[in-house]
Amino acid sequence: MRRGMVTAVVFALACLAGWLQFTPAAADSPTVLVMSVDGPIKQLTADYIARGLDTAHADDVELVVIRLNSPGGLFDPTRTIVQKLLDSEIPVAVYVTPAGAYSGSAGTFLVAAANFAVMAPAANVGAVSPLDAAGDKIPGSRAHIVSQDMRAYIRGIAEVRGRNADALEDTVWNATAYSAHEAQRRGVIDLVAADLPAMLEQLDGQQTTTAAGPTVVTSRDARVRHLGPTILEHLLGILTMPEVVFILFITACLAFLVEVLFPGLIIPSLLGVVTLALAVLGFLNLPGSWLGVVFIVFAAALFYGETTAPGFGFFGAGGVLFLVLGGIFLFGDFFRPSDLPEPSFMVNPFVIAAMGGIALGIWVLFVRLAGAGGGETAGFQTAAETALIGQKGVTLSDLRPSGRVRVGDRDWVATADPGVSIDRGEQVRVIAVYGEVLKVQRA
């Protein structure tokens, strides 16, 4: 009995020793970190890739794979990403995928800068010819001047990575694009792979040079770890959508306008500060034009001017017009050509039209309410509101035409007729009640 127990314990210890010996081997298997870039390249993209490379370095990852499907993007973030790829101590493979994906304009620089450039079948890469603000190819000597930096830049990257510099330079000079197999034949990329496992199988044993020196990739049977955007990066992705930035700017301007018209209301001012801060954050991460911002602010000023003039006329129509122009000119540089053929960041015309219509509708309603008498809404007023009509009070601020008054033992937001100004300290009489807003006239 005792001998059987000893045998069982020895057997259990042997199994444990075997498990312990097996576990580190599994833990020592190579790890591949995969990131995905799908859409225009912007500053948020550069920050995401930088975070991924830092994570890979800290976790001793064998290989970093950037899955790319992009029409292009902004040049400054592209330079930042290229520099990160060239300085990486861990091999980086840029994989243009899925089948039929496109790595155009700025994406071509990322493909050229990778240790390993890989494409899925039917994918294509190239077309980096400089364009003007309208998206047309720049003619004559102007195109020559604009493209020189791009040509030298992509040739330098190609020489560092041992790629076909002439073929890559042709993507800038002649806007040439290559299919996957043509790019491989021309020496623009290294491999064509149908999917990620096939790519890792082909890269296994390949040698490359990183910032840390020559290295051999071990990627067969590697553990694949995906690194997606954080919650904050998802939020910033939403905030950097041109339509969202435009709506936030309009909301901020209208909120501040309400605060000016009805001083003392805390909520509009807080809403204006928050939406303005979010709009500026998104604006600075996009190719913004301050001309669009000026137009939007001027539209708000014209809407304010409408409150000082009776009826809906010049100021209101001008406000809607400049709001629409602000949406059109909010993004994109209309005064110099782009370094790269950027994807369109223009606000969707349907969003511009919708916001213009909403602003128009709100302001027509406001002007009608401001010009209406109490009789039109008396049927909808409470007894307390009806009791206020006819009471006298005193203005606590100038009404131009809106401000604050004191009626009875309470302070109120009040407005006079459009075009009417009542100085602070004058006596007024309540002629209509709109919820928490009183309409008054001189007593």
Side-chain angles (χ1 to χ4, degrees), residues 53 83-92 115 161 210-212:
L53 293 175
Q83 193 63 51
K84 290 288 185 182
L85 298 183
L86 296 177
D87 290 343
S88 175
E89 296 183 357
I90 297 174
V92 179
N115 296 93
R161 293 306 191 197
T210 67

Side-chain angles (χ1 to χ4, degrees), residues 7 34 36 38-39 68 95 122-123 170 174 183 187 208 225 251 265 280 297-298 308 335 346 395 408 439:
T7 302
V34 178
S36 296
D38 192 358
L68 180 65
Y95 182 25
D170 208 37
N174 295 312
T208 187
R225 173 184 168 193
T251 303
L265 295 178
V280 170
V297 173
F298 189 56
T308 66
F335 304 105
M346 181 178 175
T395 57
K439 183 174 182 182

Side-chain angles (χ1 to χ4, degrees), residues 13 17 32-33 52 66 78 106 148 155 200 220 230 233 235 262 276 280 290 297 311 321 334 337 376 398:
L13 290 175
V32 174
L33 185 69
I66 300 175
T78 300
Q148 286 306 303
R155 175 170 282 276
L200 296 180
R220 182 179 283 111
T230 63
E233 287 169 339
L235 178 60
F262 305 107
L276 180 61
V280 170
W290 290 106
V297 173
L321 173 63
F334 295 88
E376 296 182 18
D398 295 338

Side-chain angles (χ1 to χ4, degrees), residues 68-70 94-104 111 118-126 177-184 189 191-194:
L68 180 65
N69 184 14
S70 172
V94 171
Y95 182 25
V96 183
T97 188
Y102 176 43
S103 177
V111 171
V118 188
M119 295 176 66
N124 63 309
V125 62
Y178 303 106
S179 66
H181 291 287
E182 185 181 9
Q184 185 181 27
I189 66 170
L191 303 171
V192 176

Side-chain angles (χ1 to χ4, degrees), residues 246 249-250 253 283 287-300 321-332 334-335 347:
F246 175 63
F249 264 127
I250 299 301
C253 288
F283 179 79
S289 169
W290 290 106
L291 179 64
V293 177
V294 171
F295 281 164
I296 293 174
V297 173
F298 189 56
L321 173 63
F322 276 94
L323 187 148
V324 171
L325 290 176
I328 294 174
F329 287 94
L330 187 59
F331 295 108
F334 295 88
F335 304 105
V347 180

